[in-house]
Structure formats: C-alpha cells, structure tokens
Amino acid sequence: MIRKAVIPAAGFGTRFLPATKSQPKEMLPVIDKPVIQYVVEEAVASGITDILIITGRGKQAIENHFDRMIELEIELEKAGKEQHLKEMRQLAQMADVHYIRQGELRGLAAAVLLARSHVGEEPFVVLLGDTIIDPEGRVPATRLIVDSYNAFKKTIVGLEAVEKSRTERYGMAETSGSFDKDGNIPLKHVIEKPYPGRSPSELALVGRYVFEPDVFGILQKELESTQGVVDLSGAINSLIKSRGVYGRVVEGRRYDIGERMDYVEAILRLGLRREDIAPELRELIAKLAGEIKE
C-alpha cells in the first residue's frame, strides 16, 4: 500500500504574475479553498496518510494553511460557527504533512530528489501542487494510478487526451501496444512540451505519478550532469528503457492553475457543482451571457 506523497510547490508561479508576486500560486483560492488544498484532499481520498510538500522562499502561507490556528478556533467557537470550526480542525488533521524548502529552483527533478530521505525505500506518489484534477464524482486520479501500480509494480504516469493545439503546454507520451480494460498502456517515450504537430500522440501527462525509490538515483545523475533546470521526462525515459513504465488514463477534468483560463474555468465548473452557490452562479452566468449578446 502506498502511503506517502510528494507535492512540489516551490516555483515562482511566473505565469500568474502579478498575483503570485506576494503569495504562492498554490494558495490562489478556487472559490473558498486554495489550489493546494484540493491536491491534498485528492491524495488523502486516495489512501495517502503522509505528505511532503516541497516549498520555497515566501511559501510560508502553505505551511500556515495546514496548521492549527487556535485563536481562530476560539473565535469560531464563541460565535457558534460550528461548521467552520469543524472544517478548520479537519484541515489540520487530514494527514501527516511535512515540509522541506527547495533553495535552488532547478525544476521538478530537483524538487522530487529532496524527498529522498523522507520517502526512504517506499514507492510514492507525486502530485503537482498547481494542478487540480476534479474526479467529477468518479475515482480520484491518484487512486487510479495507485491501483495501476499495485497491479504492475512499475512506475505509473497519469494521462489524459488533449487537443493537438495544447500539446506544447504539457509533457506528451508516446505509447506502445494498446490499452487494457482499465486504461493502462505501456509507454515508449515521453517528450516535454512539443510544438503542435511534433507530439507523438494526444496523450498528455497530468501531473500525477507513482515512482519507486530507484528514481532518486536517476534524478541525482541527471542533476549532476547539467547545471540547468531538469524536469521529470528524462528520468521517466530512463525508467522506460530499464524497467518499463505504464501510463494510466485518469478520470475527471484537469485544471492547470498556472493558466489563467483554466483558473477561471475551475472556479465556474467547481462552483456549479456546489449546492450552496450553484443557483446564484447559474443566474450570474446567464446574465453575463445576455449582456454579451446585447
């Protein structure tokens, strides 16, 4: 059973400036919850009990969010706001959450490598801290890739089909063979953000992975061989050659919160699924649509 997850959340969030100049991108609110809370909740719903978040300079808000705030709890109790009080206490008790800071930003490879001591000799999940995958009432993405790992005992990469025009935004997968009944397929190669027309397929990496601890040695060698930024594609390709890697098509809808329109869409779609605000939100959307037509 996989029980540990690593969430890289150290980047500057330059795609979302100026909002991210003074607050972490992962703390941008989607309605009334920050992005990273959705990510942590997905991990917990998938059976993860131990989470390591890779943070960086200026990211203390993330640590504060998952910590208890006794003064707030006292005020909520005095005001009789029992539901809010319950939510705040549950937030601090969802999982064992740990933190380590990434001093030099050299990409995802460097961030994941920082988890080596914490993970030890266990398989573990990696979830990108700026990517929400809404299961839309189905099985969470992390649960699916964990299930695939339990079946194959190999590195698993979460996949989704995207439009050809969007391939330069993501890592893209070249597959080998055909899908099994659960949506698993062997991978032949992955390439980072290819230009449209150069992608080997329309299957994009969704920012959810299961790795075994031998990935750390590969990441270490890659970082030692270059002074630049290193992503995870090189390590995945090395694992494809040495041990084999499977892709697993995940369910639900992915929102890359670094993209402004994904952020707006996440607010609207997730809002429409909430009973407390959906009726008013539908009215607002209809009103705005009418104004645009006029």
Side-chain angles (χ1 to χ4, degrees):
M1 180 64 186
I2 295 178
R3 65 187 187 91
K4 291 184 177 180
V6 176
I7 302 178
F12 287 125
T14 53
R15 291 181 296 166
F16 228 112
L17 287 169
T20 51
K21 180 175 182 290
S22 59
Q23 69 171 330
K25 174 177 60 177
E26 297 80 9
M27 289 300 294
L28 291 172
V30 176
I31 309 173
D32 53 9
K33 290 195 296 189
V35 174
I36 199 166
Q37 184 175 335
Y38 288 91
V39 178
V40 170
E41 288 175 347
E42 177 191 324
V44 172
S46 303
I48 302 298
T49 59
D50 185 302
I51 296 172
L52 176 65
I53 301 178
I54 312 297
T55 66
R57 186 180 299 277
K59 301 269 186 168
Q60 295 90 339
I62 296 175
E63 299 182 29
N64 292 338
H65 184 70
F66 293 103
D67 195 6
R68 289 191 67 180
M69 186 175 178
I70 302 301
E71 299 89 342
L72 174 61
E73 291 181 15
I74 291 173
E75 290 303 315
L76 291 173
E77 192 168 19
K78 286 180 179 178
K81 297 182 178 181
E82 296 298 327
Q83 183 58 35
H84 285 309
L85 179 60
K86 179 181 178 181
E87 290 173 358
M88 293 304 98
R89 287 177 173 168
Q90 287 177 339
L91 182 60
Q93 298 169 353
M94 285 194 298
D96 293 328
V97 183
H98 312 268
Y99 305 91
I100 188 169
R101 291 181 62 164
Q102 184 178 8
E104 182 181 7
L105 301 184
R106 293 189 58 196
L108 281 176
V112 174
L113 184 57
L114 289 173
R116 189 173 201 167
S117 296
H118 185 84
V119 168
E121 296 301 317
E122 301 180 41
F124 64 101
V125 177
V126 174
L127 305 90
L128 299 191
D130 61 358
T131 300
I132 296 173
I133 302 181
D134 176 22
E136 298 181 323
R138 292 172 287 182
V139 181
T142 297
R143 178 72 262 175
L144 289 174
I145 63 171
V146 167
D147 288 346
S148 293
Y149 174 79
N150 290 335
F152 295 102
K153 301 301 180 184
K154 294 181 182 292
T155 293
I156 307 294
V157 176
L159 301 174
E160 71 166 350
V162 299
E163 298 174 359
K164 291 181 179 179
S165 60
R166 292 163 60 103
T167 60
E168 62 183 336
R169 293 170 52 179
Y170 308 116
M172 302 298 296
E174 181 179 0
T175 60
S176 175
S178 56
F179 288 101
D180 67 14
K181 62 181 179 62
D182 295 318
N184 299 293
I185 191 167
L187 298 190
K188 186 176 180 181
H189 188 73
V190 298
I191 182 172
E192 193 68 21
K193 299 179 180 178
Y195 289 113
R198 295 187 178 181
S199 178
S201 74
E202 296 176 18
L203 292 171
L205 282 60
V206 299
R208 301 293 188 268
Y209 315 84
V210 178
F211 289 113
E212 294 188 306
D214 60 349
V215 73
F216 293 121
I218 297 172
L219 296 175
Q220 183 72 52
K221 289 178 180 179
E222 288 200 341
L223 287 163
E224 290 174 351
S225 67
T226 180
Q227 297 300 313
V229 172
V230 181
D231 56 45
L232 293 176
S233 297
I236 294 170
N237 284 326
S238 293
L239 289 166
I240 289 173
K241 292 178 181 179
S242 64
R243 301 190 59 183
V245 173
Y246 275 81
R248 170 68 183 258
V249 174
V250 302
E251 299 175 349
R253 191 180 298 271
R254 183 249 292 258
Y255 304 102
D256 176 2
I257 302 302
E259 299 290 337
R260 289 171 173 80
M261 287 310 299
D262 272 24
Y263 179 65
V264 173
E265 183 178 356
I267 292 172
L268 293 175
R269 286 190 181 274
L270 292 173
L272 287 171
R273 293 183 55 215
R274 286 190 34 170
E275 295 180 359
D276 58 337
I277 62 173
E280 292 178 85
L281 182 55
R282 288 192 189 94
E283 290 181 7
L284 175 60
I285 292 171
K287 179 181 178 181
L288 293 175
E291 291 175 1
I292 292 172
K293 291 179 180 179
E294 293 173 4

